[in-house]
């Protein structure tokens, strides 16, 4: 698995609410709540009083996973890193995606041009890796499908597990892409407008222009909805943006 290849890829750079009570819903209780934004006349409320604690996800040296011991293990392998945790050194795709997405929504995106550009690059690196993950899983599913069709001796339990894991994998890949894309839209929205229109009074972001304020609110709302979805997969439950 040549993860370093991904790093060498060139990258280019609603309705207002009356109450200021922050809306939240549970995603994973051990990692707190996903906070939904609130839209007001001059600002958008994006969080609780305390800033979210970003996970510490370090770069690791990746190792090759042991070969699967039979078709059952191969079927089980479809959801490794999705529903089943893997040690970081074996989680070639998920670990790198989470690492690049760790600080994607840090408030410095409003005040530091260099940090904002770095996060745009990071989200696009995550997109590249997620595309490779999808390509790998699509290939694996197709190959297992062929085996299931040609081999009448595959146990019923393995066939059932494959159907379930196939659905889980496809659903996850859709959620993963939507989450990464939603974060990119927030970043590009800020980049296009220019950080100077934003004033950070955390947990509020002041935006005087009404259309820009509405666009920002809608983009952050979409991001938080997709964050809740991706946090339903345990390996991604610690993500905060």
């Amino acid at each position: 698995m040549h993860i370093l290849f991904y790093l060498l890829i060139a990258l280019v750079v609603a309705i207002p609410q009356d109450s200021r009570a922050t809306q939240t819903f549970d995603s994973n209780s051990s990692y707190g709540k996903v906070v939904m934004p609130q839209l007001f006349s001059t600002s958008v409320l994006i969080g609780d009083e305390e800033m979210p604690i970003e996970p510490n996800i370090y770069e690791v040296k990746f190792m090759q996973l042991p070969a699967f011991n039979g078709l059952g293990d191969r079927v089980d392998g479809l959801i490794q890193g999705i529903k089943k945790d893997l040690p970081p050194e074996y989680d070639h795709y998920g670990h790198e995606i989470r690492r690049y997405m760790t600080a994607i929504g840090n408030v410095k995106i409003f005040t530091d041009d260099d940090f904002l550009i770095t996060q745009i690059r990071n989200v696009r690196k995550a997109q590249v890796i997620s595309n490779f993950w999808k390509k790998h899983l699509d290939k694996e599913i197709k190959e297992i499908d062929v085996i299931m069709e040609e081999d009448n001796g595959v146990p019923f339990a393995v066939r059932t597990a494959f159907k379930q894991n196939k659905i889980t994998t496809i659903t996850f890949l859709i959620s993963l892409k939507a989450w990464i894309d939603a974060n990119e839209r927030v970043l590009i929205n800020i980049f296009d407008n220019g950080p100077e229109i934003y004033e950070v009074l955390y947990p509020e972001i002041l935006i005087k222009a009404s259309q820009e304020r509405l666009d920002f609110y809608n983009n952050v709302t979409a991001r938080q909805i997709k964050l809740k979805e991706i946090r339903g997969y345990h390996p991604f439950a610690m993500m905060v943006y």
Side-chain angles (χ1 to χ4, degrees), residues 72-223:
D73 282 354
R74 192 173 177 184
V75 167
D76 188 64
L78 291 174
I79 58 172
Q80 288 181 352
I82 298 175
K83 282 292 189 180
K84 294 190 174 184
D85 289 318
L86 281 172
E89 61 270 21
Y90 294 112
D91 193 2
H92 298 181
Y93 301 104
H95 181 82
E96 285 294 88
I97 290 171
R98 291 188 293 274
R99 186 167 71 87
Y100 284 120
M101 299 292 286
T102 296
I104 214 78
N106 188 289
V107 291
K108 288 196 294 182
I109 59 179
F110 301 104
T111 60
D112 186 330
D113 288 348
D114 290 338
F115 184 83
L116 173 61
I117 291 171
T118 295
Q119 297 314 310
I120 292 172
R121 288 173 176 161
N122 283 345
V123 78
R124 290 180 175 176
K125 289 174 184 177
Q127 286 172 332
V128 171
I129 298 169
S130 70
N131 289 338
F132 275 91
W133 198 357
K134 182 179 186 302
K135 184 177 180 180
H136 166 74
L137 288 172
D138 286 347
K139 179 175 180 291
E140 190 70 359
I141 287 172
K142 287 178 182 178
E143 290 180 0
I144 297 174
D145 263 326
V146 171
I147 295 172
M148 295 290 181
E149 291 177 4
E150 295 180 350
D151 187 353
N152 294 327
V154 176
F156 177 77
V158 175
R159 292 183 180 276
T160 301
F162 175 60
K163 290 178 182 178
Q164 294 172 342
N165 292 357
K166 180 178 178 180
I167 292 171
T168 296
T169 299
I170 292 171
T171 303
F172 165 77
L173 290 170
I174 293 171
S175 295
L176 179 66
K177 183 180 188 305
W179 170 59
I180 295 172
D181 289 350
N183 271 281
E184 184 189 33
R185 282 192 292 273
V186 172
L187 295 170
I188 295 301
N189 179 225
I190 296 169
F191 180 84
D192 288 344
N193 290 332
E196 62 272 5
I197 77 164
Y198 304 94
E199 182 179 354
V200 179
L201 296 175
Y202 194 86
E204 292 188 60
I205 307 298
L206 274 61
I207 311 169
K208 293 181 180 179
S210 60
Q211 186 59 55
E212 284 75 5
R213 186 170 59 253
L214 180 60
D215 289 345
F216 177 74
Y217 167 78
N218 287 335
N219 285 329
V220 173
T221 298
R223 182 191 71 181

